[in-house]
Amino acid sequence: MRDLPLPLALTARLSPVVVLACAGWALTSGPFAPAPAAEHRTAQQDTPSGGAEASSSSTAPSSTAVSKAYASAPAPCTSVAAKTIGSLVPGAKTAGKEIPSTDTKVRRTCSWNALKGYDYRWLDVSFEIMDSQAAAQKAYEDRTAEKSGGGAVPGLGDSAYSVVNLTTQDKQQTREGVVMARSSNALVVVTYNGSDFETKKAPDTDEINKGAIKAARDAVAALGNGRTG
């Protein structure tokens, strides 16, 4: 279950191999594309403190449920340092390209992609601002449960998870890493993938995973630009 509808642009992308063959560029699945059935990973949930009187605690609003550190999504195309873009997506314009959103206050996404020689890289960074910390926690749990084979990323936001998967189409490998991080009422999702169209091999798992985490650290730090108060 998702709190907000996803932008159609993220679900309508073509595969890297097909687009490269037609126009010299490649697109890939978005950061929220579904994965095979996965092992459920449950993050620690916030538990409001109880009161002595059950009747008053049942009617009083939960401070946890309404906590909201961020009021708006930061500008996504400046959320990742130019140095990071240069190292992860060689040849890409550091300005990136923002994907249209129905509500830029609560959801914004930027993409970078480039083909340098035969090496192709794609990077997506998405921000979602939810109504409360509890809503963001629920969305984080739901989405990490859809991704199998990953693990926790220590020291990134309040909780974070990364997973890397390999796909093959027409003998061409593509390796994609996804990092999902929650910080208070905000979700950050980074998707990073790559292919080598000469060898038809994909970059190593470690390269893709570390690259996605590096971009996610920049993006989580940028959340401060939309902080309330």
Side-chain angles (χ1 to χ4, degrees), residues 61-116:
S62 166
S63 59
T64 301
V66 298
S67 60
K68 188 173 181 178
Y70 306 106
S72 61
C77 293
T78 57
S79 66
V80 180
K83 183 178 180 180
T84 301
I85 297 299
S87 66
L88 298 185
V89 193
K93 295 180 178 180
T94 56
K97 180 178 180 181
E98 185 162 358
I99 294 175
S101 172
T102 55
D103 189 344
T104 56
K105 188 174 181 180
V106 298
R107 182 189 292 108
R108 298 182 73 176
T109 299
C110 190
S111 294
W112 297 262
N113 63 79
L115 179 67
K116 187 172 183 179

mmCIF file of all heavy atoms in Angstrom, residues 61-116:
data_model
loop_
_atom_site.group_PDB
_atom_site.id
_atom_site.type_symbol
_atom_site.label_atom_id
_atom_site.label_comp_id
_atom_site.label_asym_id
_atom_site.label_seq_id
_atom_site.Cartn_x
_atom_site.Cartn_y
_atom_site.Cartn_z
ATOM 1 N N PRO A 61 -4.530 13.013 20.805
ATOM 2 C CA PRO A 61 -3.768 12.735 19.588
ATOM 3 C C PRO A 61 -2.358 12.283 19.919
ATOM 4 O O PRO A 61 -1.752 12.754 20.888
ATOM 5 C CB PRO A 61 -3.754 14.090 18.865
ATOM 6 C CG PRO A 61 -3.958 15.104 19.954
ATOM 7 C CD PRO A 61 -4.858 14.432 20.958
ATOM 8 N N SER A 62 -1.825 11.359 19.142
ATOM 9 C CA SER A 62 -0.473 10.856 19.359
ATOM 10 C C SER A 62 0.541 11.851 18.824
ATOM 11 O O SER A 62 0.470 12.266 17.677
ATOM 12 C CB SER A 62 -0.299 9.507 18.636
ATOM 13 O OG SER A 62 1.050 9.168 18.574
ATOM 14 N N SER A 63 1.507 12.227 19.669
ATOM 15 C CA SER A 63 2.540 13.160 19.218
ATOM 16 C C SER A 63 3.407 12.526 18.137
ATOM 17 O O SER A 63 3.899 13.187 17.243
ATOM 18 C CB SER A 63 3.418 13.584 20.405
ATOM 19 O OG SER A 63 4.033 12.450 20.996
ATOM 20 N N THR A 64 3.573 11.194 18.201
ATOM 21 C CA THR A 64 4.349 10.504 17.185
ATOM 22 C C THR A 64 3.646 10.545 15.843
ATOM 23 O O THR A 64 4.260 10.747 14.812
ATOM 24 C CB THR A 64 4.589 9.038 17.603
ATOM 25 O OG1 THR A 64 5.286 9.019 18.843
ATOM 26 C CG2 THR A 64 5.383 8.293 16.550
ATOM 27 N N ALA A 65 2.327 10.345 15.853
ATOM 28 C CA ALA A 65 1.579 10.267 14.601
ATOM 29 C C ALA A 65 1.591 11.579 13.846
ATOM 30 O O ALA A 65 1.499 11.600 12.626
ATOM 31 C CB ALA A 65 0.145 9.842 14.885
ATOM 32 N N VAL A 66 1.703 12.715 14.547
ATOM 33 C CA VAL A 66 1.625 14.000 13.873
ATOM 34 C C VAL A 66 2.989 14.673 13.738
ATOM 35 O O VAL A 66 3.076 15.779 13.227
ATOM 36 C CB VAL A 66 0.659 14.957 14.621
ATOM 37 C CG1 VAL A 66 -0.746 14.389 14.628
ATOM 38 C CG2 VAL A 66 1.132 15.224 16.049
ATOM 39 N N SER A 67 4.053 14.033 14.210
ATOM 40 C CA SER A 67 5.372 14.641 14.095
ATOM 41 C C SER A 67 5.740 14.796 12.623
ATOM 42 O O SER A 67 5.516 13.901 11.821
ATOM 43 C CB SER A 67 6.410 13.788 14.819
ATOM 44 O OG SER A 67 6.462 12.495 14.262
ATOM 45 N N LYS A 68 6.301 15.950 12.283
ATOM 46 C CA LYS A 68 6.584 16.255 10.888
ATOM 47 C C LYS A 68 7.785 17.183 10.823
ATOM 48 O O LYS A 68 7.672 18.387 11.019
ATOM 49 C CB LYS A 68 5.355 16.883 10.232
ATOM 50 C CG LYS A 68 5.471 17.073 8.734
ATOM 51 C CD LYS A 68 4.136 17.533 8.170
ATOM 52 C CE LYS A 68 4.210 17.699 6.667
ATOM 53 N NZ LYS A 68 2.933 18.103 6.073
ATOM 54 N N ALA A 69 8.938 16.620 10.537
ATOM 55 C CA ALA A 69 10.158 17.422 10.509
ATOM 56 C C ALA A 69 10.309 18.192 9.210
ATOM 57 O O ALA A 69 10.917 19.259 9.177
ATOM 58 C CB ALA A 69 11.375 16.530 10.721
ATOM 59 N N TYR A 70 9.740 17.659 8.104
ATOM 60 C CA TYR A 70 9.939 18.270 6.793
ATOM 61 C C TYR A 70 8.610 18.698 6.183
ATOM 62 O O TYR A 70 7.648 17.934 6.173
ATOM 63 C CB TYR A 70 10.660 17.304 5.857
ATOM 64 C CG TYR A 70 11.951 16.789 6.441
ATOM 65 C CD1 TYR A 70 12.049 15.481 6.921
ATOM 66 C CD2 TYR A 70 13.065 17.615 6.551
ATOM 67 C CE1 TYR A 70 13.224 15.016 7.479
ATOM 68 C CE2 TYR A 70 14.251 17.150 7.117
ATOM 69 C CZ TYR A 70 14.326 15.851 7.572
ATOM 70 O OH TYR A 70 15.484 15.389 8.137
ATOM 71 N N ALA A 71 8.582 19.923 5.660
ATOM 72 C CA ALA A 71 7.352 20.468 5.080
ATOM 73 C C ALA A 71 7.308 20.325 3.567
ATOM 74 O O ALA A 71 6.228 20.339 2.975
ATOM 75 C CB ALA A 71 7.214 21.943 5.456
ATOM 76 N N SER A 72 8.467 20.192 2.924
ATOM 77 C CA SER A 72 8.483 20.124 1.464
ATOM 78 C C SER A 72 9.701 19.345 0.999
ATOM 79 O O SER A 72 10.688 19.189 1.735
ATOM 80 C CB SER A 72 8.506 21.533 0.867
ATOM 81 O OG SER A 72 9.667 22.228 1.284
ATOM 82 N N ALA A 73 9.617 18.869 -0.241
ATOM 83 C CA ALA A 73 10.734 18.131 -0.823
ATOM 84 C C ALA A 73 11.790 19.113 -1.324
ATOM 85 O O ALA A 73 11.452 20.162 -1.873
ATOM 86 C CB ALA A 73 10.246 17.268 -1.982
ATOM 87 N N PRO A 74 13.062 18.804 -1.148
ATOM 88 C CA PRO A 74 14.109 19.690 -1.661
ATOM 89 C C PRO A 74 14.212 19.604 -3.181
ATOM 90 O O PRO A 74 13.662 18.688 -3.792
ATOM 91 C CB PRO A 74 15.378 19.138 -1.003
ATOM 92 C CG PRO A 74 15.083 17.691 -0.789
ATOM 93 C CD PRO A 74 13.611 17.613 -0.482
ATOM 94 N N ALA A 75 14.900 20.549 -3.776
ATOM 95 C CA ALA A 75 15.148 20.504 -5.226
ATOM 96 C C ALA A 75 15.999 19.272 -5.520
ATOM 97 O O ALA A 75 17.153 19.188 -5.078
ATOM 98 C CB ALA A 75 15.857 21.768 -5.673
ATOM 99 N N PRO A 76 15.477 18.287 -6.235
ATOM 100 C CA PRO A 76 16.187 17.007 -6.362
ATOM 101 C C PRO A 76 17.447 17.077 -7.206
ATOM 102 O O PRO A 76 18.394 16.333 -6.965
ATOM 103 C CB PRO A 76 15.132 16.097 -7.007
ATOM 104 C CG PRO A 76 14.249 17.021 -7.762
ATOM 105 C CD PRO A 76 14.182 18.279 -6.950
ATOM 106 N N CYS A 77 17.463 17.965 -8.194
ATOM 107 C CA CYS A 77 18.606 18.000 -9.105
ATOM 108 C C CYS A 77 19.830 18.684 -8.514
ATOM 109 O O CYS A 77 20.913 18.652 -9.107
ATOM 110 C CB CYS A 77 18.205 18.645 -10.423
ATOM 111 S SG CYS A 77 17.017 17.650 -11.377
ATOM 112 N N THR A 78 19.662 19.311 -7.335
ATOM 113 C CA THR A 78 20.822 19.866 -6.637
ATOM 114 C C THR A 78 21.063 19.126 -5.320
ATOM 115 O O THR A 78 21.854 19.573 -4.497
ATOM 116 C CB THR A 78 20.625 21.368 -6.356
ATOM 117 O OG1 THR A 78 19.424 21.565 -5.594
ATOM 118 C CG2 THR A 78 20.536 22.155 -7.658
ATOM 119 N N SER A 79 20.370 18.008 -5.137
ATOM 120 C CA SER A 79 20.481 17.266 -3.880
ATOM 121 C C SER A 79 21.724 16.377 -3.824
ATOM 122 O O SER A 79 22.127 15.945 -2.752
ATOM 123 C CB SER A 79 19.234 16.394 -3.675
ATOM 124 O OG SER A 79 19.162 15.369 -4.660
ATOM 125 N N VAL A 80 22.310 16.083 -4.968
ATOM 126 C CA VAL A 80 23.502 15.245 -5.038
ATOM 127 C C VAL A 80 24.659 16.107 -5.529
ATOM 128 O O VAL A 80 24.523 16.831 -6.514
ATOM 129 C CB VAL A 80 23.287 14.040 -5.981
ATOM 130 C CG1 VAL A 80 24.540 13.174 -6.053
ATOM 131 C CG2 VAL A 80 22.103 13.204 -5.512
ATOM 132 N N ALA A 81 25.776 16.042 -4.839
ATOM 133 C CA ALA A 81 26.926 16.872 -5.182
ATOM 134 C C ALA A 81 27.405 16.604 -6.603
ATOM 135 O O ALA A 81 27.364 15.467 -7.087
ATOM 136 C CB ALA A 81 28.059 16.611 -4.188
ATOM 137 N N ALA A 82 27.876 17.662 -7.261
ATOM 138 C CA ALA A 82 28.374 17.532 -8.635
ATOM 139 C C ALA A 82 29.508 16.511 -8.703
ATOM 140 O O ALA A 82 29.623 15.745 -9.673
ATOM 141 C CB ALA A 82 28.843 18.889 -9.142
ATOM 142 N N LYS A 83 30.332 16.465 -7.658
ATOM 143 C CA LYS A 83 31.428 15.496 -7.618
ATOM 144 C C LYS A 83 30.897 14.072 -7.594
ATOM 145 O O LYS A 83 31.460 13.173 -8.240
ATOM 146 C CB LYS A 83 32.294 15.763 -6.390
ATOM 147 C CG LYS A 83 33.516 14.865 -6.281
ATOM 148 C CD LYS A 83 34.349 15.232 -5.060
ATOM 149 C CE LYS A 83 35.578 14.334 -4.947
ATOM 150 N NZ LYS A 83 36.405 14.680 -3.758
ATOM 151 N N THR A 84 29.796 13.853 -6.857
ATOM 152 C CA THR A 84 29.184 12.521 -6.798
ATOM 153 C C THR A 84 28.620 12.132 -8.153
ATOM 154 O O THR A 84 28.811 10.998 -8.619
ATOM 155 C CB THR A 84 28.076 12.489 -5.733
ATOM 156 O OG1 THR A 84 28.628 12.836 -4.456
ATOM 157 C CG2 THR A 84 27.449 11.104 -5.648
ATOM 158 N N ILE A 85 27.922 13.072 -8.797
ATOM 159 C CA ILE A 85 27.370 12.794 -10.133
ATOM 160 C C ILE A 85 28.493 12.437 -11.102
ATOM 161 O O ILE A 85 28.394 11.480 -11.882
ATOM 162 C CB ILE A 85 26.578 14.002 -10.664
ATOM 163 C CG1 ILE A 85 25.376 14.299 -9.763
ATOM 164 C CG2 ILE A 85 26.120 13.761 -12.106
ATOM 165 C CD1 ILE A 85 24.386 13.175 -9.658
ATOM 166 N N GLY A 86 29.583 13.198 -11.061
ATOM 167 C CA GLY A 86 30.690 12.946 -11.967
ATOM 168 C C GLY A 86 31.305 11.573 -11.793
ATOM 169 O O GLY A 86 31.730 10.943 -12.770
ATOM 170 N N SER A 87 31.345 11.088 -10.555
ATOM 171 C CA SER A 87 31.942 9.774 -10.306
ATOM 172 C C SER A 87 30.990 8.624 -10.613
ATOM 173 O O SER A 87 31.422 7.558 -11.050
ATOM 174 C CB SER A 87 32.421 9.676 -8.858
ATOM 175 O OG SER A 87 31.328 9.707 -7.956
ATOM 176 N N LEU A 88 29.692 8.846 -10.393
ATOM 177 C CA LEU A 88 28.722 7.758 -10.592
ATOM 178 C C LEU A 88 28.192 7.683 -12.024
ATOM 179 O O LEU A 88 27.886 6.591 -12.522
ATOM 180 C CB LEU A 88 27.538 7.931 -9.635
ATOM 181 C CG LEU A 88 27.838 7.884 -8.143
ATOM 182 C CD1 LEU A 88 26.541 7.947 -7.349
ATOM 183 C CD2 LEU A 88 28.622 6.633 -7.777
ATOM 184 N N VAL A 89 28.055 8.844 -12.666
ATOM 185 C CA VAL A 89 27.490 8.876 -14.024
ATOM 186 C C VAL A 89 28.443 9.675 -14.917
ATOM 187 O O VAL A 89 28.147 10.822 -15.293
ATOM 188 C CB VAL A 89 26.075 9.501 -14.042
ATOM 189 C CG1 VAL A 89 25.388 9.227 -15.368
ATOM 190 C CG2 VAL A 89 25.230 8.969 -12.888
ATOM 191 N N PRO A 90 29.586 9.103 -15.272
ATOM 192 C CA PRO A 90 30.556 9.830 -16.093
ATOM 193 C C PRO A 90 29.936 10.314 -17.405
ATOM 194 O O PRO A 90 29.249 9.565 -18.092
ATOM 195 C CB PRO A 90 31.650 8.782 -16.361
ATOM 196 C CG PRO A 90 31.532 7.817 -15.228
ATOM 197 C CD PRO A 90 30.063 7.752 -14.911
ATOM 198 N N GLY A 91 30.175 11.587 -17.710
ATOM 199 C CA GLY A 91 29.652 12.152 -18.947
ATOM 200 C C GLY A 91 28.288 12.782 -18.822
ATOM 201 O O GLY A 91 27.814 13.440 -19.751
ATOM 202 N N ALA A 92 27.618 12.618 -17.678
ATOM 203 C CA ALA A 92 26.277 13.186 -17.511
ATOM 204 C C ALA A 92 26.367 14.665 -17.173
ATOM 205 O O ALA A 92 27.317 15.124 -16.542
ATOM 206 C CB ALA A 92 25.517 12.454 -16.406
ATOM 207 N N LYS A 93 25.348 15.431 -17.572
ATOM 208 C CA LYS A 93 25.255 16.823 -17.173
ATOM 209 C C LYS A 93 24.865 16.863 -15.700
ATOM 210 O O LYS A 93 23.886 16.242 -15.287
ATOM 211 C CB LYS A 93 24.205 17.547 -18.012
ATOM 212 C CG LYS A 93 24.562 17.641 -19.494
ATOM 213 C CD LYS A 93 23.488 18.378 -20.269
ATOM 214 C CE LYS A 93 23.870 18.500 -21.733
ATOM 215 N NZ LYS A 93 22.822 19.212 -22.516
ATOM 216 N N THR A 94 25.625 17.596 -14.902
ATOM 217 C CA THR A 94 25.369 17.600 -13.466
ATOM 218 C C THR A 94 24.031 18.230 -13.120
ATOM 219 O O THR A 94 23.498 17.997 -12.035
ATOM 220 C CB THR A 94 26.488 18.342 -12.712
ATOM 221 O OG1 THR A 94 26.618 19.668 -13.250
ATOM 222 C CG2 THR A 94 27.814 17.605 -12.862
ATOM 223 N N ALA A 95 23.455 19.021 -14.040
ATOM 224 C CA ALA A 95 22.154 19.651 -13.780
ATOM 225 C C ALA A 95 21.039 18.629 -13.664
ATOM 226 O O ALA A 95 20.033 18.855 -12.997
ATOM 227 C CB ALA A 95 21.821 20.656 -14.871
ATOM 228 N N GLY A 96 21.186 17.465 -14.295
ATOM 229 C CA GLY A 96 20.148 16.439 -14.243
ATOM 230 C C GLY A 96 18.871 16.863 -14.939
ATOM 231 O O GLY A 96 18.788 17.941 -15.539
ATOM 232 N N LYS A 97 17.850 16.018 -14.838
ATOM 233 C CA LYS A 97 16.553 16.310 -15.440
ATOM 234 C C LYS A 97 15.466 15.947 -14.439
ATOM 235 O O LYS A 97 15.327 14.789 -14.053
ATOM 236 C CB LYS A 97 16.358 15.510 -16.727
ATOM 237 C CG LYS A 97 15.019 15.788 -17.406
ATOM 238 C CD LYS A 97 14.889 15.003 -18.693
ATOM 239 C CE LYS A 97 13.542 15.292 -19.364
ATOM 240 N NZ LYS A 97 13.392 14.499 -20.627
ATOM 241 N N GLU A 98 14.683 16.943 -14.024
ATOM 242 C CA GLU A 98 13.612 16.668 -13.078
ATOM 243 C C GLU A 98 12.416 16.052 -13.797
ATOM 244 O O GLU A 98 11.995 16.518 -14.852
ATOM 245 C CB GLU A 98 13.187 17.937 -12.337
ATOM 246 C CG GLU A 98 12.149 17.658 -11.257
ATOM 247 C CD GLU A 98 12.012 18.760 -10.227
ATOM 248 O OE1 GLU A 98 12.763 19.757 -10.311
ATOM 249 O OE2 GLU A 98 11.167 18.605 -9.324
ATOM 250 N N ILE A 99 11.864 15.011 -13.201
ATOM 251 C CA ILE A 99 10.703 14.323 -13.764
ATOM 252 C C ILE A 99 9.438 15.024 -13.280
ATOM 253 O O ILE A 99 9.309 15.321 -12.087
ATOM 254 C CB ILE A 99 10.698 12.843 -13.343
ATOM 255 C CG1 ILE A 99 11.907 12.133 -13.975
ATOM 256 C CG2 ILE A 99 9.413 12.153 -13.770
ATOM 257 C CD1 ILE A 99 12.063 10.699 -13.539
ATOM 258 N N PRO A 100 8.493 15.325 -14.184
ATOM 259 C CA PRO A 100 7.270 16.029 -13.779
ATOM 260 C C PRO A 100 6.540 15.307 -12.645
ATOM 261 O O PRO A 100 6.479 14.082 -12.611
ATOM 262 C CB PRO A 100 6.430 16.038 -15.062
ATOM 263 C CG PRO A 100 7.427 15.931 -16.164
ATOM 264 C CD PRO A 100 8.519 15.054 -15.629
ATOM 265 N N SER A 101 5.995 16.084 -11.725
ATOM 266 C CA SER A 101 5.255 15.543 -10.587
ATOM 267 C C SER A 101 3.930 16.272 -10.458
ATOM 268 O O SER A 101 3.826 17.456 -10.789
ATOM 269 C CB SER A 101 6.068 15.717 -9.302
ATOM 270 O OG SER A 101 5.310 15.377 -8.159
ATOM 271 N N THR A 102 2.927 15.572 -9.967
ATOM 272 C CA THR A 102 1.616 16.194 -9.767
ATOM 273 C C THR A 102 1.612 17.149 -8.585
ATOM 274 O O THR A 102 0.764 18.027 -8.503
ATOM 275 C CB THR A 102 0.538 15.113 -9.547
ATOM 276 O OG1 THR A 102 0.945 14.273 -8.457
ATOM 277 C CG2 THR A 102 0.359 14.267 -10.800
ATOM 278 N N ASP A 103 2.574 16.991 -7.671
ATOM 279 C CA ASP A 103 2.666 17.878 -6.508
ATOM 280 C C ASP A 103 4.126 17.961 -6.081
ATOM 281 O O ASP A 103 4.624 17.105 -5.354
ATOM 282 C CB ASP A 103 1.805 17.353 -5.358
ATOM 283 C CG ASP A 103 1.686 18.351 -4.208
ATOM 284 O OD1 ASP A 103 2.506 19.296 -4.164
ATOM 285 O OD2 ASP A 103 0.795 18.184 -3.365
ATOM 286 N N THR A 104 4.828 18.997 -6.540
ATOM 287 C CA THR A 104 6.258 19.115 -6.276
ATOM 288 C C THR A 104 6.569 19.406 -4.810
ATOM 289 O O THR A 104 7.718 19.280 -4.391
ATOM 290 C CB THR A 104 6.880 20.218 -7.142
ATOM 291 O OG1 THR A 104 6.181 21.452 -6.912
ATOM 292 C CG2 THR A 104 6.798 19.853 -8.615
ATOM 293 N N LYS A 105 5.557 19.793 -4.033
ATOM 294 C CA LYS A 105 5.807 20.047 -2.613
ATOM 295 C C LYS A 105 6.044 18.747 -1.859
ATOM 296 O O LYS A 105 6.802 18.707 -0.886
ATOM 297 C CB LYS A 105 4.629 20.795 -1.994
ATOM 298 C CG LYS A 105 4.893 21.268 -0.569
ATOM 299 C CD LYS A 105 3.758 22.122 -0.036
ATOM 300 C CE LYS A 105 4.048 22.613 1.375
ATOM 301 N NZ LYS A 105 2.948 23.446 1.926
ATOM 302 N N VAL A 106 5.391 17.681 -2.323
ATOM 303 C CA VAL A 106 5.499 16.414 -1.591
ATOM 304 C C VAL A 106 6.296 15.336 -2.323
ATOM 305 O O VAL A 106 6.734 14.371 -1.707
ATOM 306 C CB VAL A 106 4.104 15.853 -1.244
ATOM 307 C CG1 VAL A 106 3.353 16.802 -0.342
ATOM 308 C CG2 VAL A 106 3.292 15.571 -2.504
ATOM 309 N N ARG A 107 6.489 15.465 -3.627
ATOM 310 C CA ARG A 107 7.250 14.443 -4.353
ATOM 311 C C ARG A 107 8.038 15.085 -5.481
ATOM 312 O O ARG A 107 7.479 15.783 -6.324
ATOM 313 C CB ARG A 107 6.333 13.371 -4.931
ATOM 314 C CG ARG A 107 7.117 12.272 -5.649
ATOM 315 C CD ARG A 107 6.238 11.316 -6.419
ATOM 316 N NE ARG A 107 5.427 10.498 -5.529
ATOM 317 C CZ ARG A 107 4.122 10.646 -5.372
ATOM 318 N NH1 ARG A 107 3.492 11.604 -6.029
ATOM 319 N NH2 ARG A 107 3.458 9.871 -4.555
ATOM 320 N N ARG A 108 9.340 14.823 -5.485
ATOM 321 C CA ARG A 108 10.195 15.333 -6.564
ATOM 322 C C ARG A 108 11.266 14.289 -6.887
ATOM 323 O O ARG A 108 11.770 13.603 -5.994
ATOM 324 C CB ARG A 108 10.846 16.663 -6.186
ATOM 325 C CG ARG A 108 9.848 17.760 -5.926
ATOM 326 C CD ARG A 108 10.496 19.100 -5.601
ATOM 327 N NE ARG A 108 11.093 19.721 -6.778
ATOM 328 C CZ ARG A 108 11.644 20.939 -6.763
ATOM 329 N NH1 ARG A 108 11.689 21.629 -5.629
ATOM 330 N NH2 ARG A 108 12.161 21.453 -7.867
ATOM 331 N N THR A 109 11.602 14.190 -8.168
ATOM 332 C CA THR A 109 12.580 13.209 -8.637
ATOM 333 C C THR A 109 13.485 13.839 -9.692
ATOM 334 O O THR A 109 13.018 14.597 -10.540
ATOM 335 C CB THR A 109 11.879 11.989 -9.265
ATOM 336 O OG1 THR A 109 11.054 11.363 -8.286
ATOM 337 C CG2 THR A 109 12.890 10.972 -9.783
ATOM 338 N N CYS A 110 14.764 13.506 -9.626
ATOM 339 C CA CYS A 110 15.707 13.934 -10.662
ATOM 340 C C CYS A 110 16.451 12.719 -11.191
ATOM 341 O O CYS A 110 16.722 11.767 -10.442
ATOM 342 C CB CYS A 110 16.702 14.951 -10.111
ATOM 343 S SG CYS A 110 17.712 15.751 -11.410
ATOM 344 N N SER A 111 16.767 12.750 -12.484
ATOM 345 C CA SER A 111 17.480 11.648 -13.118
ATOM 346 C C SER A 111 18.714 12.148 -13.862
ATOM 347 O O SER A 111 18.711 13.253 -14.413
ATOM 348 C CB SER A 111 16.566 10.918 -14.118
ATOM 349 O OG SER A 111 15.512 10.275 -13.451
ATOM 350 N N TRP A 112 19.734 11.324 -13.849
ATOM 351 C CA TRP A 112 20.960 11.574 -14.621
ATOM 352 C C TRP A 112 21.271 10.291 -15.376
ATOM 353 O O TRP A 112 21.186 9.199 -14.816
ATOM 354 C CB TRP A 112 22.128 11.887 -13.704
ATOM 355 C CG TRP A 112 22.009 13.121 -12.868
ATOM 356 C CD1 TRP A 112 22.543 14.356 -13.120
ATOM 357 C CD2 TRP A 112 21.345 13.240 -11.593
ATOM 358 N NE1 TRP A 112 22.235 15.226 -12.110
ATOM 359 C CE2 TRP A 112 21.510 14.574 -11.151
ATOM 360 C CE3 TRP A 112 20.629 12.350 -10.794
ATOM 361 C CZ2 TRP A 112 20.983 15.036 -9.951
ATOM 362 C CZ3 TRP A 112 20.100 12.808 -9.594
ATOM 363 C CH2 TRP A 112 20.278 14.139 -9.190
ATOM 364 N N ASN A 113 21.656 10.398 -16.639
ATOM 365 C CA ASN A 113 22.087 9.211 -17.364
ATOM 366 C C ASN A 113 23.084 9.606 -18.443
ATOM 367 O O ASN A 113 23.059 10.732 -18.939
ATOM 368 C CB ASN A 113 20.902 8.450 -17.970
ATOM 369 C CG ASN A 113 20.153 9.255 -18.991
ATOM 370 O OD1 ASN A 113 20.569 9.378 -20.132
ATOM 371 N ND2 ASN A 113 19.026 9.840 -18.578
ATOM 372 N N ALA A 114 23.972 8.695 -18.759
ATOM 373 C CA ALA A 114 24.979 8.967 -19.784
ATOM 374 C C ALA A 114 25.574 7.666 -20.299
ATOM 375 O O ALA A 114 25.658 6.674 -19.571
ATOM 376 C CB ALA A 114 26.091 9.858 -19.225
ATOM 377 N N LEU A 115 25.964 7.730 -21.550
ATOM 378 C CA LEU A 115 26.680 6.625 -22.193
ATOM 379 C C LEU A 115 28.060 7.160 -22.554
ATOM 380 O O LEU A 115 28.194 8.066 -23.370
ATOM 381 C CB LEU A 115 25.945 6.169 -23.449
ATOM 382 C CG LEU A 115 26.590 5.041 -24.244
ATOM 383 C CD1 LEU A 115 26.557 3.746 -23.440
ATOM 384 C CD2 LEU A 115 25.885 4.851 -25.579
ATOM 385 N N LYS A 116 29.074 6.629 -21.901
ATOM 386 C CA LYS A 116 30.450 7.052 -22.163
ATOM 387 C C LYS A 116 31.201 5.867 -22.734
ATOM 388 O O LYS A 116 31.446 4.879 -22.036
ATOM 389 C CB LYS A 116 31.115 7.551 -20.883
ATOM 390 C CG LYS A 116 32.487 8.168 -21.133
ATOM 391 C CD LYS A 116 33.036 8.826 -19.876
ATOM 392 C CE LYS A 116 34.371 9.509 -20.181
ATOM 393 N NZ LYS A 116 34.922 10.175 -18.979
#
